[in-house]
Amino acid sequence: MGRLIAPHAEIETPVFMPVGTVASVKGIPQETLEELGAQIILGNTYHLYLRPGVEVIRRMGGLHRFMSWPRAILTDSGGFQVFSLNELRKVTEDGVTFRSHLDGSSHFFSPESAMQAQIGLGADIMMAFDECTEYPADGDRMRASMEMTARWAARSKKYFEEHKNEVPWACVGTDAPVGPEGRRSESSAVWSASGFAAEYGEAHSDAEPRSPGKPKVSVPMHSEATQALFGIVQGGMNRELRKESAERTIEIGFPGYAIGGLSVGEPRALTREIVESTLEHLPADKPRYLMGVGTPEEIVEYANLGVDMMDCVLPTRAARHGLLFTSEGRISIKQARYAQDEAPLDPNCPCRVCQRYSRAYLRHLYASNEMLAQVLNTIHNLSFYLDTMRRVRHSIQLGESS
Ligand SMILES: [Zn+2]
Protein backbone atom coordinates (compact mmCIF):
# COMPACT_ATOMS: atom_id res chain seq x y z
CA MET A 1 0.00 0.00 0.00
CA GLY A 2 1.29 3.43 -0.85
CA ARG A 3 0.66 6.99 0.14
CA LEU A 4 0.60 9.83 -2.31
CA ILE A 5 1.04 13.32 -0.93
CA ALA A 6 -0.85 15.89 -2.98
CA PRO A 7 -1.46 19.55 -2.12
CA HIS A 8 -5.11 18.91 -1.20
CA ALA A 9 -4.94 15.39 0.20
CA GLU A 10 -2.87 12.50 1.32
CA ILE A 11 -4.04 9.65 -0.87
CA GLU A 12 -3.88 5.99 0.09
CA THR A 13 -3.13 3.81 -2.91
CA PRO A 14 -4.18 1.82 -4.82
CA VAL A 15 -6.97 4.32 -5.35
CA PHE A 16 -10.03 4.51 -7.58
CA MET A 17 -10.82 7.98 -8.89
CA PRO A 18 -14.46 8.77 -9.75
CA VAL A 19 -14.77 10.76 -12.98
CA GLY A 20 -16.16 14.29 -12.64
CA THR A 21 -16.12 15.27 -16.29
CA VAL A 22 -17.45 18.83 -16.13
CA ALA A 23 -16.57 19.56 -12.47
CA SER A 24 -19.34 17.23 -11.37
CA VAL A 25 -19.42 13.51 -10.74
CA LYS A 26 -22.76 13.06 -12.48
CA GLY A 27 -25.69 12.64 -10.11
CA ILE A 28 -23.80 12.90 -6.84
CA PRO A 29 -23.08 15.95 -4.66
CA GLN A 30 -19.60 16.59 -3.31
CA GLU A 31 -20.60 16.03 0.32
CA THR A 32 -21.80 12.54 -0.59
CA LEU A 33 -18.53 11.82 -2.39
CA GLU A 34 -16.69 12.81 0.78
CA GLU A 35 -18.95 10.57 2.83
CA LEU A 36 -18.23 7.65 0.50
CA GLY A 37 -14.52 8.20 1.05
CA ALA A 38 -13.51 9.42 -2.41
CA GLN A 39 -9.96 10.71 -1.96
CA ILE A 40 -9.39 12.10 -5.43
CA ILE A 41 -11.63 12.76 -8.41
CA LEU A 42 -10.96 13.43 -12.06
CA GLY A 43 -11.81 16.50 -14.14
CA ASN A 44 -11.68 16.58 -17.94
CA THR A 45 -9.67 19.50 -19.31
CA TYR A 46 -11.30 19.35 -22.75
CA HIS A 47 -14.83 19.74 -21.36
CA LEU A 48 -13.90 22.40 -18.78
CA TYR A 49 -11.91 24.36 -21.36
CA LEU A 50 -15.00 24.54 -23.58
CA ARG A 51 -17.44 25.15 -20.71
CA PRO A 52 -17.33 27.17 -18.48
CA GLY A 53 -13.82 28.02 -19.74
CA VAL A 54 -10.50 27.87 -17.92
CA GLU A 55 -10.43 31.60 -17.21
CA VAL A 56 -13.72 31.48 -15.31
CA ILE A 57 -12.42 28.69 -13.08
CA ARG A 58 -9.00 30.28 -12.64
CA ARG A 59 -10.56 33.56 -11.49
CA MET A 60 -12.60 31.66 -8.92
CA GLY A 61 -9.43 30.24 -7.39
CA GLY A 62 -9.28 27.02 -9.34
CA LEU A 63 -11.35 23.90 -9.69
CA HIS A 64 -11.30 22.96 -5.98
CA ARG A 65 -12.93 26.16 -4.90
CA PHE A 66 -15.18 26.44 -7.96
CA MET A 67 -16.78 23.07 -7.29
CA SER A 68 -16.27 23.12 -3.50
CA TRP A 69 -14.17 19.96 -3.40
CA PRO A 70 -11.54 20.03 -0.66
CA ARG A 71 -9.73 16.80 -1.53
CA ALA A 72 -7.48 15.98 -4.46
CA ILE A 73 -8.26 16.43 -8.16
CA LEU A 74 -6.51 15.09 -11.25
CA THR A 75 -7.09 16.63 -14.66
CA ASP A 76 -6.38 14.79 -17.90
CA SER A 77 -4.58 16.61 -20.69
CA GLY A 78 -7.54 16.93 -23.02
CA GLY A 79 -5.77 14.67 -25.49
CA PHE A 80 -8.06 11.69 -25.08
CA GLN A 81 -11.29 13.68 -25.60
CA VAL A 82 -9.85 15.53 -28.57
CA PHE A 83 -9.10 12.16 -30.13
CA SER A 84 -12.29 10.39 -29.12
CA LEU A 85 -14.86 13.16 -29.68
CA ASN A 86 -13.42 14.78 -32.80
CA GLU A 87 -13.51 13.09 -36.13
CA LEU A 88 -12.39 16.27 -37.88
CA ARG A 89 -9.27 16.87 -35.79
CA LYS A 90 -6.03 17.78 -37.49
CA VAL A 91 -2.80 16.69 -35.84
CA THR A 92 0.55 18.33 -36.57
CA GLU A 93 3.85 18.46 -34.70
CA ASP A 94 2.62 21.68 -33.07
CA GLY A 95 -0.57 20.22 -31.67
CA VAL A 96 -4.17 19.39 -32.52
CA THR A 97 -6.81 21.55 -34.17
CA PHE A 98 -10.30 20.38 -33.27
CA ARG A 99 -13.91 21.43 -33.32
CA SER A 100 -16.01 21.86 -30.21
CA HIS A 101 -18.62 19.13 -29.89
CA LEU A 102 -20.88 21.81 -28.37
CA ASP A 103 -21.03 24.46 -31.09
CA GLY A 104 -18.59 23.42 -33.82
CA SER A 105 -16.15 26.26 -33.10
CA SER A 106 -12.50 25.66 -33.93
CA HIS A 107 -9.85 25.27 -31.19
CA PHE A 108 -6.21 24.33 -30.86
CA PHE A 109 -4.46 22.30 -28.15
CA SER A 110 -0.69 22.09 -27.99
CA PRO A 111 1.40 20.64 -25.17
CA GLU A 112 1.91 24.22 -24.00
CA SER A 113 -1.73 25.32 -24.17
CA ALA A 114 -2.90 22.08 -22.53
CA MET A 115 -0.48 22.75 -19.65
CA GLN A 116 -1.63 26.35 -19.43
CA ALA A 117 -5.25 25.17 -19.20
CA GLN A 118 -4.45 22.61 -16.52
CA ILE A 119 -2.42 25.09 -14.47
CA GLY A 120 -5.42 27.45 -14.65
CA LEU A 121 -7.73 24.68 -13.43
CA GLY A 122 -5.30 24.01 -10.59
CA ALA A 123 -5.75 20.27 -10.06
CA ASP A 124 -3.31 18.53 -7.71
CA ILE A 125 -2.13 16.26 -10.49
CA MET A 126 -2.08 17.17 -14.18
CA MET A 127 -1.20 15.05 -17.20
CA ALA A 128 1.25 15.58 -20.05
CA PHE A 129 -0.33 16.19 -23.46
CA ASP A 130 -0.27 12.92 -25.39
CA GLU A 131 -1.64 11.38 -28.52
CA CYS A 132 -3.92 8.46 -27.80
CA THR A 133 -3.12 5.99 -30.57
CA GLU A 134 -6.23 4.52 -32.18
CA TYR A 135 -6.91 0.79 -32.29
CA PRO A 136 -6.19 -0.99 -34.50
CA ALA A 137 -3.07 0.76 -35.85
CA ASP A 138 -0.16 -0.59 -37.87
CA GLY A 139 3.45 -0.69 -36.67
CA ASP A 140 4.60 2.51 -38.38
CA ARG A 141 1.63 4.43 -37.10
CA MET A 142 2.10 3.15 -33.53
CA ARG A 143 5.78 4.14 -33.59
CA ALA A 144 5.17 7.61 -35.06
CA SER A 145 2.42 8.28 -32.54
CA MET A 146 4.55 7.06 -29.61
CA GLU A 147 7.44 9.30 -30.71
CA MET A 148 5.13 12.31 -31.02
CA THR A 149 3.87 11.65 -27.48
CA ALA A 150 7.49 11.54 -26.25
CA ARG A 151 8.28 14.91 -27.87
CA TRP A 152 5.05 16.38 -26.54
CA ALA A 153 5.90 15.06 -23.04
CA ALA A 154 9.20 16.98 -23.09
CA ARG A 155 7.39 20.15 -24.22
CA SER A 156 4.70 19.63 -21.56
CA LYS A 157 7.32 19.36 -18.83
CA LYS A 158 9.26 22.39 -20.04
CA TYR A 159 6.15 24.58 -20.05
CA PHE A 160 5.03 23.22 -16.68
CA GLU A 161 8.39 23.90 -15.02
CA GLU A 162 8.38 27.47 -16.30
CA HIS A 163 4.78 28.23 -15.33
CA LYS A 164 3.87 26.05 -12.36
CA ASN A 165 3.92 29.02 -10.00
CA GLU A 166 0.92 30.45 -11.85
CA VAL A 167 -1.47 27.92 -10.28
CA PRO A 168 -4.46 29.92 -8.93
CA TRP A 169 -4.04 28.75 -5.35
CA ALA A 170 -0.29 29.36 -5.18
CA CYS A 171 -0.60 32.90 -3.84
CA VAL A 172 -4.00 32.97 -2.16
CA GLY A 173 -3.07 31.29 1.12
CA THR A 174 -4.75 34.02 3.12
CA ASP A 175 -8.13 32.89 1.83
CA ALA A 176 -8.20 29.90 4.14
CA PRO A 177 -11.61 29.07 5.54
CA VAL A 178 -12.91 31.20 8.33
CA GLY A 179 -14.55 29.45 11.25
CA PRO A 180 -17.76 30.42 13.05
CA GLU A 181 -16.00 33.01 15.19
CA GLY A 182 -14.28 34.54 12.24
CA ARG A 183 -10.96 32.89 13.07
CA ARG A 184 -9.04 30.69 10.74
CA SER A 185 -9.25 27.05 11.56
CA GLU A 186 -5.88 26.12 13.03
CA SER A 187 -6.26 22.50 12.08
CA SER A 188 -7.13 23.07 8.45
CA ALA A 189 -3.63 22.44 7.14
CA VAL A 190 -0.90 20.10 8.20
CA TRP A 191 2.61 19.77 6.94
CA SER A 192 3.73 16.69 5.22
CA ALA A 193 7.26 15.40 5.02
CA SER A 194 7.61 16.47 1.44
CA GLY A 195 6.86 20.10 2.15
CA PHE A 196 3.37 20.09 0.66
CA ALA A 197 0.49 21.40 2.64
CA ALA A 198 -1.90 18.53 2.96
CA GLU A 199 -5.54 19.37 3.28
CA TYR A 200 -8.12 17.19 4.96
CA GLY A 201 -11.85 17.27 4.42
CA GLU A 202 -12.44 16.37 8.08
CA ALA A 203 -11.02 19.70 9.13
CA HIS A 204 -14.18 21.37 7.85
CA SER A 205 -17.01 19.54 9.48
CA ASP A 206 -20.47 20.02 8.05
CA ALA A 207 -21.56 21.24 11.46
CA GLU A 208 -19.65 24.45 10.95
CA PRO A 209 -21.94 27.14 9.64
CA ARG A 210 -20.73 28.66 6.44
CA SER A 211 -20.18 32.40 6.45
CA PRO A 212 -21.86 34.05 3.47
CA GLY A 213 -19.44 34.73 0.69
CA LYS A 214 -16.70 32.62 2.23
CA PRO A 215 -15.66 29.58 0.27
CA LYS A 216 -15.87 26.44 2.32
CA VAL A 217 -12.95 24.85 0.56
CA SER A 218 -9.57 25.75 1.89
CA VAL A 219 -6.50 26.16 -0.26
CA PRO A 220 -3.00 25.02 0.62
CA MET A 221 -1.23 27.56 2.75
CA HIS A 222 2.28 26.50 1.89
CA SER A 223 3.73 28.75 -0.76
CA GLU A 224 5.83 25.91 -2.12
CA ALA A 225 2.85 23.63 -2.74
CA THR A 226 2.63 23.04 -6.46
CA GLN A 227 0.86 20.75 -8.83
CA ALA A 228 2.47 17.54 -10.01
CA LEU A 229 2.76 16.69 -13.71
CA PHE A 230 2.62 13.01 -14.68
CA GLY A 231 3.96 11.53 -17.93
CA ILE A 232 1.96 9.15 -20.12
CA VAL A 233 3.25 5.98 -21.76
CA GLN A 234 1.79 5.19 -25.20
CA GLY A 235 2.93 2.73 -27.88
CA GLY A 236 -0.30 1.09 -28.97
CA MET A 237 -0.57 -2.65 -28.51
CA ASN A 238 3.13 -3.29 -29.11
CA ARG A 239 5.15 -4.41 -26.08
CA GLU A 240 8.49 -3.19 -27.49
CA LEU A 241 7.09 0.25 -28.28
CA ARG A 242 5.54 0.40 -24.81
CA LYS A 243 8.95 -0.38 -23.30
CA GLU A 244 10.62 2.31 -25.38
CA SER A 245 7.87 4.80 -24.52
CA ALA A 246 8.30 4.03 -20.81
CA GLU A 247 12.07 4.51 -21.02
CA ARG A 248 11.81 7.77 -22.93
CA THR A 249 9.17 9.15 -20.58
CA ILE A 250 11.24 8.19 -17.53
CA GLU A 251 14.24 9.88 -19.10
CA ILE A 252 12.31 13.15 -19.28
CA GLY A 253 11.48 12.59 -15.61
CA PHE A 254 8.07 12.83 -13.91
CA PRO A 255 6.87 12.24 -10.32
CA GLY A 256 4.33 9.69 -11.64
CA TYR A 257 3.62 7.70 -14.78
CA ALA A 258 0.40 6.76 -16.53
CA ILE A 259 -0.35 3.99 -18.98
CA GLY A 260 -2.58 5.55 -21.65
CA GLY A 261 -4.09 4.37 -24.90
CA LEU A 262 -5.84 1.29 -23.48
CA SER A 263 -9.54 0.42 -23.29
CA VAL A 264 -9.85 1.78 -26.83
CA GLY A 265 -11.61 -1.28 -28.23
CA GLU A 266 -8.94 -3.96 -27.90
CA PRO A 267 -9.74 -7.37 -26.39
CA ARG A 268 -9.46 -7.53 -22.59
CA ALA A 269 -6.70 -10.13 -22.68
CA LEU A 270 -4.57 -7.76 -24.75
CA THR A 271 -5.22 -4.89 -22.32
CA ARG A 272 -3.94 -7.05 -19.50
CA GLU A 273 -0.90 -8.18 -21.45
CA ILE A 274 0.11 -4.60 -22.28
CA VAL A 275 -0.53 -3.38 -18.72
CA GLU A 276 1.52 -6.19 -17.23
CA SER A 277 4.45 -5.77 -19.60
CA THR A 278 4.44 -1.95 -19.33
CA LEU A 279 4.40 -2.02 -15.52
CA GLU A 280 7.70 -3.89 -15.57
CA HIS A 281 9.36 -0.83 -17.09
CA LEU A 282 7.91 1.77 -14.71
CA PRO A 283 9.57 2.61 -11.38
CA ALA A 284 7.72 1.04 -8.44
CA ASP A 285 8.60 3.96 -6.18
CA LYS A 286 6.54 6.39 -8.27
CA PRO A 287 2.74 6.24 -8.62
CA ARG A 288 1.60 4.21 -11.64
CA TYR A 289 -1.73 5.23 -13.12
CA LEU A 290 -3.77 3.10 -15.50
CA MET A 291 -6.10 5.42 -17.40
CA GLY A 292 -9.74 4.61 -18.14
CA VAL A 293 -10.04 1.11 -16.64
CA GLY A 294 -12.20 -0.88 -15.70
CA THR A 295 -14.78 -3.31 -14.24
CA PRO A 296 -14.75 -4.14 -10.49
CA GLU A 297 -12.91 -7.40 -11.27
CA GLU A 298 -10.36 -5.57 -13.41
CA ILE A 299 -9.56 -2.86 -10.88
CA VAL A 300 -8.78 -5.58 -8.31
CA GLU A 301 -6.67 -7.47 -10.83
CA TYR A 302 -4.69 -4.39 -11.89
CA ALA A 303 -4.22 -3.18 -8.31
CA ASN A 304 -2.72 -6.57 -7.50
CA LEU A 305 -0.40 -6.23 -10.48
CA GLY A 306 0.94 -2.99 -9.00
CA VAL A 307 -1.24 -0.24 -10.49
CA ASP A 308 -1.66 2.57 -7.93
CA MET A 309 -4.32 4.75 -9.54
CA MET A 310 -7.29 4.03 -11.81
CA ASP A 311 -10.26 5.97 -13.13
CA CYS A 312 -13.28 4.87 -15.11
CA VAL A 313 -16.68 6.22 -16.08
CA LEU A 314 -18.15 2.72 -15.80
CA PRO A 315 -19.61 2.87 -12.25
CA THR A 316 -21.32 6.22 -12.83
CA ARG A 317 -22.35 5.67 -16.46
CA ALA A 318 -23.63 2.13 -15.82
CA ALA A 319 -25.59 3.40 -12.80
CA ARG A 320 -27.45 5.87 -14.98
CA HIS A 321 -28.42 2.98 -17.22
CA GLY A 322 -29.63 0.83 -14.35
CA LEU A 323 -26.63 -1.51 -14.32
CA LEU A 324 -25.49 -2.10 -10.78
CA PHE A 325 -22.39 -3.85 -9.47
CA THR A 326 -22.89 -5.96 -6.35
CA SER A 327 -20.98 -8.50 -4.28
CA GLU A 328 -23.21 -11.13 -5.93
CA GLY A 329 -22.63 -9.96 -9.49
CA ARG A 330 -24.25 -7.49 -11.84
CA ILE A 331 -27.90 -6.50 -11.52
CA SER A 332 -29.94 -4.86 -14.26
CA ILE A 333 -32.47 -3.14 -12.05
CA LYS A 334 -34.90 -2.49 -14.90
CA GLN A 335 -35.84 -6.18 -15.04
CA ALA A 336 -39.41 -7.10 -14.09
CA ARG A 337 -38.12 -9.82 -11.76
CA TYR A 338 -37.24 -7.12 -9.20
CA ALA A 339 -40.71 -5.53 -9.23
CA GLN A 340 -41.67 -7.11 -5.92
CA ASP A 341 -38.24 -7.88 -4.54
CA GLU A 342 -38.03 -6.55 -1.00
CA ALA A 343 -34.35 -7.36 -0.59
CA PRO A 344 -31.68 -4.66 -0.59
CA LEU A 345 -29.74 -4.20 -3.81
CA ASP A 346 -26.66 -5.80 -2.26
CA PRO A 347 -27.09 -7.43 1.18
CA ASN A 348 -23.35 -7.08 1.80
CA CYS A 349 -23.11 -3.38 0.95
CA PRO A 350 -23.03 -0.83 3.79
CA CYS A 351 -23.97 2.10 1.55
CA ARG A 352 -26.93 4.26 2.45
CA VAL A 353 -28.90 3.03 -0.57
CA CYS A 354 -28.59 -0.64 0.37
CA GLN A 355 -29.29 0.18 4.02
CA ARG A 356 -32.53 1.93 3.20
CA TYR A 357 -34.19 0.94 -0.07
CA SER A 358 -35.49 -2.25 -1.66
CA ARG A 359 -34.78 -3.54 -5.14
CA ALA A 360 -38.49 -3.14 -5.85
CA TYR A 361 -38.32 0.58 -5.08
CA LEU A 362 -35.14 1.10 -7.10
CA ARG A 363 -36.72 -0.78 -10.00
CA HIS A 364 -39.83 1.39 -9.74
CA LEU A 365 -37.78 4.61 -9.74
CA TYR A 366 -35.88 3.45 -12.81
CA ALA A 367 -39.03 2.36 -14.66
CA SER A 368 -40.65 5.72 -13.83
CA ASN A 369 -37.62 7.58 -15.15
CA GLU A 370 -37.24 9.37 -11.82
CA MET A 371 -34.08 11.46 -11.28
CA LEU A 372 -33.67 9.77 -7.92
CA ALA A 373 -33.01 6.47 -9.69
CA GLN A 374 -29.81 7.86 -11.20
CA VAL A 375 -28.74 9.46 -7.93
CA LEU A 376 -29.25 6.34 -5.80
CA ASN A 377 -27.77 3.99 -8.42
CA THR A 378 -24.70 6.20 -8.71
CA ILE A 379 -24.22 6.33 -4.94
CA HIS A 380 -24.32 2.55 -4.73
CA ASN A 381 -22.02 1.86 -7.68
CA LEU A 382 -19.40 4.36 -6.54
CA SER A 383 -19.64 3.06 -3.01
CA PHE A 384 -19.09 -0.47 -4.36
CA TYR A 385 -16.01 0.59 -6.33
CA LEU A 386 -14.51 2.60 -3.48
CA ASP A 387 -15.17 -0.24 -1.01
CA THR A 388 -13.63 -2.72 -3.44
CA MET A 389 -10.45 -0.66 -3.55
CA ARG A 390 -10.49 -0.24 0.22
CA ARG A 391 -10.56 -4.03 0.57
CA VAL A 392 -7.63 -4.34 -1.84
CA ARG A 393 -5.63 -1.86 0.26
CA HIS A 394 -6.54 -3.77 3.39
CA SER A 395 -5.43 -7.11 1.95
CA ILE A 396 -2.18 -5.59 0.66
CA GLN A 397 -1.61 -4.14 4.13
CA LEU A 398 -2.24 -7.53 5.75
CA GLY A 399 0.14 -9.13 3.28
CA GLU A 400 2.83 -6.57 4.00
CA SER A 401 2.60 -6.93 7.77
CA SER A 402 2.58 -10.74 7.85
ZN1 LIG B 1 -24.95 -0.28 -1.79
Side-chain angles (χ1 to χ4, degrees), residues 345-346 349-355 379-381 383-384:
L345 183 55
D346 182 347
C349 178
C351 91
R352 58 157 96 172
V353 178
C354 294
Q355 292 304 307
I379 291 174
H380 166 79
N381 267 1
S383 178
F384 185 76

Side-chain angles (χ1 to χ4, degrees), residues 319-324 332-336 338-341 345 352-354 356-380:
R320 298 196 299 279
H321 292 100
L323 178 65
L324 300 161
S332 176
I333 200 67
K334 67 185 78 169
Q335 290 177 358
Y338 301 117
Q340 300 191 53
D341 191 337
L345 183 55
R352 58 157 96 172
V353 178
C354 294
R356 181 155 189 160
Y357 304 104
S358 66
R359 290 173 177 177
Y361 182 62
L362 294 174
R363 194 256 170 192
H364 159 73
L365 290 178
Y366 190 86
S368 310
N369 204 18
E370 279 294 309
M371 267 189 280
L372 188 57
Q374 306 203 341
V375 173
L376 297 182
N377 291 348
T378 303
I379 291 174
H380 166 79

